[in-house]
Amino acid sequence: MKSVVIQQPEVLVIEDRPVPQPQAGEVRLRVESAGICGSDVHIYRGHNPFAKYPRVIGHEFFGRIDAVGEGVDASRVGQRVVGDPVVSCGHCYPCSVGRPNVCTSLQVIGVHRDGGFSEYITLPAKNAHIVPDSIPDREATMIEPFTIAANICSQMNPGPLDVALVYGAGPMGLTSIQALRGVYGVKEIIVADRIDERLAMAKENGADRVINNTDIDLTAELAKLGIRPTLIIDAACHPSILPEAIGLASPAARIGIMGFSSDPCVINQQGITSKELSIYSSRLNSNRFPMVIDWMKSKKIHPEKLITHQFDYAQVIEAMEIFEKDPKFCCKVLLKF
Ligand code: NAI
Ligand code: MN
Ligand code: ZN
């Protein structure tokens, strides 16, 4: 089989590898399509501290089960499924309280173990979620990115009284905007980004108002407009954003962050406690696949709006380069396998 392997930082090769055999409790997928994510590029460029090389990348993948390991119901062969990249132990403290995404021995498919940019992949049977026939292949490939939005939103519990501010209109911001609009029905969504083309996408994905904050002070601009956000999602993840968000938030607001920068930022207790703000963080997803499959089935979200490109896997280098260099016109890139 062909697999997209990062042999070491900056070295991407399409390798011939033996088709893996599913172990006990596992299924094997014939992968049909996969999505490129920023973290795939980070592994390619050597910027992911968790990655070990060589590594088959890809954690957003859809396909059909073509074999099962011992103990797995053979009737699963032929199912259309999407893979949850979160592989957890099931018995540590976070696993026991329903948070396998931060399992103490977490293995992320495509990061810690070989991923979905491959003609075949094996994974635990419970990580392979059935996709209803009403959800087309391309949309099914988008389930994982929406689980990130589902995870942060499930924690923050948005509602009709919320004035939401989303920082960043990349794939993560856009999936969050779609969820806030189509699932949670918040009152208003304001989006800040540095790129006008991305802000235009934010509008197409459900934002009411967009602000390019390249040259303006967002705090002053929102004050001028009389807007006090009650729910803030940081999907841009620059360390300067949390302090700013604390300052411009409404009393009793919730702030959700999902960045991985190790750079410090300065915040103070008074800024948080005086308004009794809640600060959430969110990593990957904790069993949110069924939720997102439901959202797609009931057409509450519109994954096609994010897909700007599709390539054959043989063109993966070109696909990664467009994804990296063209944020104005490129959002989600799919690979066909
Ligand atoms: P992206 O790079 O495509 O989008 C980020 C957007 O933020 C860009 O459009 C950029 O112009 C904008 N931006 C940058 N600085 C800004 C600022 N100061 N104010 C307003 N906008 C600003 O990235 P993507 O894929 O949407 O991911 C966003 C972030 O989420 C990344 O940092 C990524 O590491 C993180 N992430 C976290 C996950 C988690 O589970 N916690 C999962 C996936 C991504
Ligand atoms: Mn991803
Ligand atoms: Zn665990």
Side-chain angles (χ1 to χ4, degrees):
M1 67 169 184
K2 302 288 188 197
S3 301
V4 176
V5 181
I6 310 299
Q7 293 182 329
Q8 62 188 63
E10 304 290 354
V11 183
L12 184 156
V13 176
I14 297 178
E15 279 183 8
D16 251 316
R17 291 188 157 198
V19 175
Q21 286 311 314
Q23 304 299 301
E26 288 187 339
V27 295
R28 184 173 69 203
L29 255 65
R30 173 65 179 89
V31 175
E32 291 174 12
S33 81
I36 298 180
C37 178
S39 57
D40 298 310
V41 176
H42 293 153
I43 297 173
Y44 181 23
R45 300 300 180 203
H47 299 155
N48 184 317
F50 308 113
K52 297 263 186 312
Y53 301 88
R55 175 63 63 234
V56 178
I57 50 175
H59 60 269
E60 304 172 2
F61 55 95
F62 162 82
R64 250 172 230 276
I65 294 178
D66 88 318
V68 300
E70 199 190 310
V72 180
D73 189 347
S75 70
R76 293 206 63 180
V77 171
Q79 284 177 352
R80 298 170 73 238
V81 297
V82 60
D84 182 344
V86 172
V87 178
S88 56
C89 78
H91 50 74
C92 67
Y93 169 74
C95 282
S96 306
V97 295
R99 301 184 48 193
N101 51 327
V102 285
C103 171
T104 55
S105 46
L106 176 68
Q107 294 266 302
V108 181
I109 295 175
V111 181
H112 307 95
R113 56 187 268 172
D114 281 339
F117 288 5
S118 182
E119 288 178 313
Y120 294 88
I121 183 176
T122 56
L123 70 163
K126 69 173 162 59
N127 287 55
H129 293 270
I130 300 180
V131 175
D133 288 338
S134 63
I135 300 177
D137 297 5
R138 275 160 60 96
E139 295 194 13
T141 315
M142 296 294 297
I143 292 171
E144 194 277 345
F146 276 96
T147 65
I148 309 295
N151 205 65
I152 196 163
C153 287
S154 295
Q155 296 194 65
M156 298 177 77
N157 198 20
L161 294 179
D162 277 314
V163 174
L165 169 64
V166 177
Y167 281 93
M172 288 305 108
L174 297 175
T175 54
S176 301
I177 294 163
Q178 284 204 21
L180 291 173
R181 171 99 299 141
V183 179
Y184 295 96
V186 298
K187 186 156 95 188
E188 189 179 0
I189 304 173
I190 299 117
V191 179
D193 199 294
R194 306 275 165 107
I195 303 174
D196 285 331
E197 289 80 356
R198 288 219 152 170
L199 290 170
M201 284 195 84
K203 279 214 138 173
E204 280 163 33
N205 281 270
D208 298 295
R209 185 192 291 273
V210 297
I211 300 173
N212 187 322
N213 64 338
T214 312
D215 297 315
I216 62 156
D217 177 40
L218 189 59
T219 308
E221 181 69 14
L222 291 176
K224 203 168 77 190
L225 295 165
I227 295 172
R228 304 278 329 253
T230 62
L231 182 133
I232 302 173
I233 294 180
D234 176 10
C237 306
H238 189 278
S240 64
I241 291 173
L242 179 59
E244 180 177 273
I246 288 170
L248 59 74
S250 159
R254 295 92 82 208
I255 300 174
I257 60 172
M258 44 191 195
F260 289 92
S261 171
S262 56
D263 292 342
C265 67
V266 179
I267 57 177
N268 62 66
Q269 295 184 4
Q270 191 179 83
I272 300 169
T273 314
S274 62
K275 295 193 277 190
E276 203 176 69
L277 302 178
S278 303
I279 299 178
Y280 296 86
S281 68
S282 181
R283 180 174 186 190
L284 304 163
N285 86 93
S286 56
N287 299 321
R288 309 290 181 198
F289 274 67
M291 179 184 257
V292 172
I293 289 168
D294 209 58
W295 293 356
M296 275 190 195
K297 220 167 60 182
S298 50
K299 308 244 183 279
K300 289 181 173 150
I301 51 172
H302 306 283
E304 277 289 345
K305 289 192 177 175
L306 273 71
I307 305 171
T308 53
H309 295 73
Q310 181 169 320
F311 292 88
D312 189 81
Y313 76 87
Q315 295 164 283
V316 59
I317 293 183
E318 190 189 341
M320 301 270 268
E321 282 176 359
I322 287 176
F323 177 82
E324 225 178 336
K325 294 188 184 134
D326 204 2
K328 287 186 181 168
F329 301 105
C330 182
C331 183
K332 193 45 97 176
V333 181
L334 301 187
L335 298 173
K336 283 288 290 170
F337 279 86

